[in-house]
Every structure is written in structure tokens, then in C-alpha cells.
Amino acid sequence: MPAPRTLLAAAALTAGAALVLSGCSGGASDDAAAFDPDEKVTLDFAFWGNDDRASRYNDLIAAFNEEYPNITINTSFTDFPSFWEKRQTEAAGGGLPDVFQFSDSYLRQYAESGNLLDLADVSDYIDTTTFEESLLGTGALDGVQYSLPTGYSLWANFVNDDLVAQAGVEAPEGGTSFADFDDWMASVTDATGGAVYGGTDYTQRIQVFELQLRANGGNLYTEDGELGFTEDDLREFWESGAEIRDGVTVPQQKLEELSPKSGFGAAITASEMSWSNFLGGYLADSGASSISLVAPPTAKEGSKDLYRQAGLQVAIAANTEHPEAAALFLDFVVNSPEAGEIFGTTLGFPASSSKLEGTTLEGADKQVADYIESAADRIGDAPPVPVVGYGSLEQAFWDAGKSIGLGVLSVDDAVTQFFAEADAILG
């Protein structure tokens, strides 16, 4: 199947545009016939991220407008929690952006409520043959394709090499026990007298909890849409962070003052765990000359606790007034070689073959690719499809973890609060 923008360029030059487009795939020919490539269109596009990501999107939109000067893209961005708070409000009022960054964590919630466009309705404008079936499945529900991934990532431990060198300690090894990693963080904090902390409280992150569950054969949730862990499991996990919260990791109050930057992005911590695609943003935020990616600690040596996470997606609002133009822009974001050239691996390792063709794997991008390859033996099967409300559960987990760090909640109270919220969210 030719790239959609190639088809439309040809369509604009011929009187038989609708016939050319409708022959592209099994999509809706009525939509194809209705599209006017010369019509002036304005689309709203929202994403979460930082200034580095915003700059890259600006470059991508400029490249998109070289092919589609008639489509104006208005952008807005914020941090991850604020992004979803705003989307929830918009969804309730029927005013979602035409195109927006999406997460598989919210797939059931937004698809089942009718807020996402079925991409089959605009299949003449989007090429899905560039994706492996397993990656397409991350944006599909009950056989309907609602979103497409920009790439995939692995959970990783980021290390600011400059700060480690200044502290005069050895770099951490990847794949150690959590206890050994805790000792390493303490060595950094002690060596700098607290001027630089060894890391952040990783027990705030549901992904680290997931890592430990998977190491022991479990998951965050079951195939039946229930939680895959008990109150005792969660209590044990949050209690395990008590020692590192006592002067080893950066105080939560300091992180609140730095928000939306993380402690690592602000260069006051020497390490932080997150998804591998964060490397470019971390380099930009922290000003570090060198950041290493090492495998995160593991709860059980030899376990398959990592997995390919294709959670960063792009979707179209069901109520968009310009579905064809929105589809063209979505296709450009996930498929174009220009997107590969501009973003590299910062939106994940390219999920589509056409985007990968434009990606030059050098510098930070090659570093991410090398890390993914180095951790291949530790990669297991993907977890079950996220439950309805998983995004809200993730936020509730993070909020509770931060409240523990601020001393606002005890671990017992945080566990009680989280499970009460989980019961309400999961029904």
C-alpha cells in the first residue's frame, strides 16, 4: 500500500481523486470522496512532554506543512498528570483535541465511552501495514483499531555520569538486587553530603511495583480486569522504601518545588528509573554531557520481568470535524521518515518500519537501541490489556506514594486509600 500522502498528492492532481483514494484500501470511500486537499483546515493537537518534545513536534509540523500547507496544527502540551486531567474534562464535555497523544492505559476507558475515532473510518489516509501485529494490538480493543503506537520502550535506570563522577563513586551495575541499588544510592548521597542525592523514591512508581510482581510470576491486573495483587503485597512494597526515604533519596518536598521537572531532570539526583525513550528529554532537561542507561534492579535474578511497552500512542477524537485531515497528521506522526529523523527514539523505539527507515541510530538514539538489545534476555511477555481506569489507578498510586514521602499518609493509610479508590474505579 502506498503511503497516504503519496496517494493524496496524486489525488490533488487528478479529477479522479476519489477513485484513486477509494482504491487504496478497504476504508470508507464516502470519506475519501468528501476530502478536499485544498480546503483550509485547523486541527488542535495535544501532547504531554517537555520543551524538547515540543521543539521536535514544531519541526515535525513544519515538515508536515511542506506537504499539507492547507492544514494548520495548533499545539498544546503539559506534564503527564495535568494532560489527563484536562482530557477527562474535555471528554465529559465532548471537546477533545482533534488529534492527541494517547496511552494504552486509557484505551478501554476512552474507547468504550465512544470518545475515540475508529481508524477504519479513515483507513484511506493511514498506513497500518508498516506495523507488526503485536504492536497494532496495543491500540486495538475488541478488533477495532483506535490508536497507533509511536514506538516502544523498556523500563530502564538512568544514571547522570557527570554527577556520579563528581561524587567520586563507581557507576552502578545494571540488574542488581534492590538492596544493592539502595546501597549505591546511599553512597552517592553520603559522598556529596546531600548536595546530590543517589536517586528518587522508586516505590512511588507503579512500574517498579509491576517489575517486582512480574519477577515473581504476577502482574498488576488479571485478564478478567481485576487487580493482580493484595493489600499485603502493596503494603510490603511501600514499606520497603522506608529506608531510602530516610535521607537517601531526594525529599518529596524538594520534588514538589521542582515540578514539572523531575529530580533527575533538574540534576539533583544521580539516577532515576523511567522508560527508555526519556533519554533525549533527560539530556535536554539536566544539561548532563553523558547519561547511561542500565538495567533496573530486579527482585529475582534470571526473571523475565521487563516487557516491550508500546503505551505512547496517537489517537483521533471521535467528534473531530476534520477526520481525514486528522488522519493525515496522525499518519505523519507515526509513519513518516521525517518523524523518525526528528524524534529518533524519544517517542520510543520506532514502531513502524517506515518511521524506522528515517531514524539514524546514533548518539542518544543508538544508546537506546543498544540498551534494548542488551536487556533482550530479560524481556518477557506483555502484561494483560490494561483494565478500564488503569490510568486513574496509576495516578492514584503515584499520588499515594508522594503523600507517603511528604509524611501526609502512613503506609497503612495509603494502602487503604488506594484500594478504596481502586474499588471505585474498577467497580
Side-chain angles (χ1 to χ4, degrees), residues 85-175:
E85 288 173 8
K86 189 167 186 179
R87 298 294 86 76
Q88 297 270 34
T89 302
E90 291 168 342
L96 284 166
D98 299 278
V99 186
F100 56 108
Q101 258 186 200
F102 192 65
S103 169
D104 64 343
S105 301
Y106 290 85
L107 180 59
R108 288 185 183 274
Q109 180 178 342
Y110 278 70
E112 291 180 351
S113 60
N115 280 295
L116 301 181
L117 184 71
D118 179 350
L119 296 186
D121 293 346
V122 287
S123 61
D124 289 317
Y125 307 93
I126 301 174
D127 188 357
T128 59
T129 65
T130 56
F131 295 86
E132 293 182 4
E133 285 299 321
S134 60
L135 290 173
L136 281 177
T138 62
L141 183 65
D142 298 331
V144 178
Q145 196 75 48
Y146 289 106
S147 60
L148 289 172
T150 64
Y152 62 87
S153 302
L154 287 187
W155 195 249
N157 195 11
F158 294 82
V159 180
N160 186 318
D161 299 326
D162 298 343
L163 297 183
V164 170
Q166 291 171 21
V169 300
E170 294 291 326
E173 294 182 17

Side-chain angles (χ1 to χ4, degrees), residues 47-101:
F47 60 94
W48 67 85
N50 56 12
D51 290 339
D52 174 70
R53 181 171 292 179
S55 176
R56 293 173 191 262
Y57 268 126
N58 286 339
D59 291 342
L60 185 67
I61 290 168
F64 176 75
N65 284 147
E66 289 182 8
E67 298 191 38
Y68 303 106
N70 59 305
I71 303 176
T72 299
I73 310 293
N74 291 331
T75 64
S76 62
F77 77 98
T78 184
D79 59 31
F80 187 82
S82 300
F83 176 90
W84 286 108
E85 288 173 8
K86 189 167 186 179
R87 298 294 86 76
Q88 297 270 34
T89 302
E90 291 168 342
L96 284 166
D98 299 278
V99 186
F100 56 108
Q101 258 186 200

